[in-house]
Amino acid sequence: YQELIQANMFYLSPIQPYVYEMPSWNARPDHVGENGLTKPYLSSWYIHAGTNTGQLMHNLDRHKSAEVGWVIAKTIQGLKWKIRKHQKKVS
């Protein structure tokens, strides 16, 4: 079952690190400032769309993703590689 899910999923990550805002009612860990904001860090999300996953990934891959600030890949290692590649291109 796990192999089936992994075969039908991919990862999406913004190119720039995100800053998240913690809710005021939540206890603040050390990495959250008094203003409720976290320190910037790279984020990623896995996407599973069942039998439509392949078509969704294909459509997103054809999109000019680097221009809108995100990359996609089948693995976390691929995601990191694409982010580094983009960062080298713009620096």
Side-chain angles (χ1 to χ4, degrees):
Y1 178 75
Q2 188 173 5
E3 292 85 18
L4 179 62
I5 290 176
Q6 289 176 333
N8 287 316
M9 66 182 253
F10 63 95
Y11 297 89
L12 180 140
S13 178
I15 293 169
Q16 297 298 318
Y18 265 29
V19 173
Y20 291 94
E21 185 173 353
M22 296 286 289
S24 60
W25 50 265
N26 197 21
R28 290 201 171 109
D30 292 340
H31 67 278
V32 177
E34 287 299 317
N35 61 359
L37 300 179
T38 64
K39 295 176 182 170
Y41 62 92
L42 286 175
S43 302
S44 64
W45 300 275
Y46 70 90
I47 298 172
H48 183 276
T51 58
N52 298 316
T53 301
Q55 185 63 44
L56 176 60
M57 186 174 180
H58 174 74
N59 290 343
L60 289 172
D61 203 32
R62 289 182 39 213
H63 193 280
K64 302 242 186 254
S65 60
E67 294 176 15
V68 295
W70 47 265
V71 294
I72 61 169
K74 285 292 284 178
T75 65
I76 291 291
Q77 291 83 6
L79 210 54
K80 291 177 181 179
W81 180 83
K82 286 185 174 186
I83 291 170
R84 283 192 302 270
K85 181 180 173 185
H86 176 77
Q87 290 170 339
K88 285 180 183 178
K89 190 177 4 175
V90 297
S91 61

